[in-house]
Amino acid sequence: MALENIVKEALNALYHHPDDAVRSQADHWLQNFQRTLDAWQVSDNLLHDASSNVETQIFCSQTLRSKVQRDFEELPSEAFRPLRDSLNNLLKTFHKGTPKVRTQISLAVAALAVQVPAEDWGDGGIMKWLRDEMNSYPDIVPSFLELLRVLPEEVFNYKIAARPDRRRKFEEELVSTMDVALGILTACLNIPELKEQWGNLGLPMLVAVLVALEAFASWLRLRHRIPASVLATHPLVLTALSSLTSDVLSEAAVNVISELIHYTSARNLDGFSVQMPLIQVIVPQVMNLKPQLRDSSKFIIGYKLIDYLVAFFSYMLFKDEEDVKAIARLFADMGDSYVELIATGSNESMLIVHALLEVAAHPEYDIASMTFNFWHNLQICLIERESYVSLGDESLMESERNRRVQVFRSSYESLVSLVSCKVQYPQDHSELSKEDQKEFKQTRYAVADVLIDAALVLGGEMTLKILYMKLVEALSGHQNGDMMDWRPSEAQLYCIRAISDLVPFTEAEVMPQIMSLLPKLPHHALLLQTVCLTVGAYSKWIDGAPNGLSFLPSVIDILVSGMSMSEDSAAAAALAFRNICDDCGKKLCGSVDGLFQIYQRAMTGEGSFKVAAQDSLHLVEALSIVITELPPDQAKKALEALCIPAVAPLQEVINQGPLVLGQKPAREITVHIDRLANIFRYVNNPEAVADAIQRLWPLFKAIFDVRAWDMRTMESLCRACKHAIFGSDPSCADYLKVLIESLFSNTACLLTKLQDFTSRPDIADDCFLLASRCIRYCPHLLFPSPVFPSLVDCAMIGITVQHREASNSILSFLSDIFDLGKSSQGQQFLSIRDSVIVPRGSSITRILVAASTGALPSSRLETVAYALLALSRAYGAKALEWAKESVSLIPSTAATDMEKSRFLQVLSDAASGVDIKGLTIPIEELSEVCRRNRTVQEIVQEALRPLELNLAYVS
């Protein structure tokens, strides 16, 4: 009783005390209380206490629901029956009470059913128990209906701490009693007691039908095998169809019909023909709505399947406006489910396509985009060879493909015109929030994908022609001196850019006109940004076109303007500049001086250039590529000039002495080193690079000697040296080895315990990313090094760091070590690797098992699982023994012998050479079992103790 009073006082403080600190303290106490064993009885008592207020009832019902979901194992087995009966009584008590409370209690009962087998539940399992309860207490039917609705939904609720086997069994139990559930729902449509109860609650009978339909939709989501012929005559299906025009019931009815559409999909295992009885019932109901159809003459009374679908679509298109969104979902479902049928290109099927085009034309993007998946799937059906293999003969296949593409050509042409307008910036674009800006970008990406689908059907040239006409149309309204709205033109250019990969280099009709038009467009920042990106996207066309060279001067001028307009347009211009130089490098060799002037201005920030440091790397790449095309003597001079803007600032800082060099922020150093790294990477002239790197060794050494402690600077130096190796003498590789050893040794000294990784995750991330690169690109520098064992020990300490990037980098580093034998250059170092890994194998395995079972978030499981499987593949029987040792530590109360055995079996399969891509499910299931609630997770981690393993150097 005292604890009950404290709960009430805490809730009163939480909701009503004026002091924030007191409310926070109350909230903290209540959260801790919910984790206690006492929370069961206290919550139950307060819910049965008629004097409890609504706030107490809501809190206690949520607590009980949470306890049943997560902590049911806390209770002794004999507590189940009293708990079930108490929850049942609460359902009856609150059937006229607060809806939130009733919902929480229903969820608690459903969660209980998930965890308790039907034979232990008694009374033939929950469905038969529920049926008996409803028959015995007809006045409580509304509460029981809600329970009936949430039951199938809880199959997919992974907050419930049920084992995977039990979850699968629960679904089987529900499916086996589906006839009982549907019988209850059917009875609820008409029984007098239900009408009376809803009436007593002040609700119309329609609400009872609404709840029944919602529950029906939930049950249809189960993997049931109810024959279509049974559903075709089922009263619930007929009720759903007749409710599509109801203001109250239409949404629930749409949900039901949507589930039925998915079930009758042609991709259903039983084939499309088996579903015909159900489809033949759905559509004739639409026939009864003939007066509401816009063009009823299109409906042919013959009950052909395609006619049914057309009638259904026609009816749905012209529902009241407020229902459009729900009905549009049906359109999308129908299109996706029957796309193979539609792709045959019959005259009737085109009526469905036209209906979908009308949805795609809807001004609301959320509605129009519901059809996007259909257009993609239809494109696949039309283009891919698999759609025609049943025809056998290649000539027949090609003929049928051409026929179908021709049938749908006009539809895709219309689609291009319709969706190209949806990427237009809104009038208030400058006032959009960050979230709205992100959403608008996603919209543009989605439309770009649709345009690519259309271009795959129509061909790039035809799609380009349509978009060019839309561009001309956007510009034509402003030829009389009107102030131009740049947004329509920008939208069409964005679309033109989106299909660039599908426009052939030989296109000679439209692209020259577009290139001639671009310099004439106004220099609005966002328009210019898209112009620059479009130029970059068509760099290969500029190089390949017969008159491409004539466009280069105007193109370069556009990019220079872009670099001066805004940071975003400068970023676009820098990327485009890189693409132009990459594809047109030979044509630009005669213009090196002009290109260097642009480069110099961008690097030094002269004039109005607004190129950010990161974007300047594109310019570095661009000039490096052009230099590669120069004769050797010119290349050396050009490379020296290219390095000057990066070398000069570094030399200036070095000249100021070690103190100044050591105090500079890392970014002020690395920005210039990264530019040099890109030069060494992209200038494909070994002799010129060798000369440059030899001149720069003193500069690099000066930086290294002073800033060896600085991880970011060291990584930049190592990256520059790595790229320099390929074009310089062996002494460069030796110096890189010194850099690597010093860097990794310093890191190992900094990161000696998990807390160090937590406080310095960026250092860990950078270090192990670089270590992985060394494994891939220069294993000869890492594995023979004395720093390799200490780096592995360091990784073992940090595996369970909670920082996502740091943890992933460490796990990837270990996986790369385990996968060393997969590369030809790594095989020679396997003996060195094994001498380090084998003595640590048991500990590494135990840490990885702990990480997979709760030491790391479940979102990292894929990376952890790969490391475990790669370890098993590399070390075979040894790894399996290590895993057995680790798994044996997990208490049987947490995981059964069968669950452990399945886990070990996949590791054995990996060790035997089975493709590891298909071996993750048992690992995921053991992970789920060991994380099913806080108590189990703590027990498992206490048993594995990943942080207490001896991680000292292994001699």
Side-chain angles (χ1 to χ4, degrees), residues 534-605:
T534 303
V535 166
Y538 284 92
S539 57
K540 286 184 170 60
W541 179 89
I542 294 173
D543 180 56
N547 56 345
L549 182 62
S550 65
F551 292 115
L552 278 175
S554 62
V555 161
I556 298 298
D557 287 343
I558 290 172
L559 300 184
V560 171
S561 298
M563 293 180 201
S564 305
M565 176 65 72
S566 68
E567 286 192 5
D568 288 339
S569 66
L575 177 60
F577 192 79
R578 191 256 183 228
N579 290 347
I580 290 293
C581 289
D582 188 14
D583 292 318
C584 309
K586 292 182 179 179
K587 290 183 171 67
L588 290 170
C589 285
S591 306
V592 170
D593 292 342
L595 297 179
F596 263 99
Q597 289 180 9
I598 298 171
Y599 170 75
Q600 181 73 24
R601 291 172 62 190
M603 294 299 106
T604 60

Side-chain angles (χ1 to χ4, degrees), residues 750-761:
L750 287 172
L751 305 174
T752 60
K753 54 186 181 297
L754 187 62
Q755 290 86 340
D756 296 333
F757 284 83
T758 302
S759 61
R760 297 173 171 177

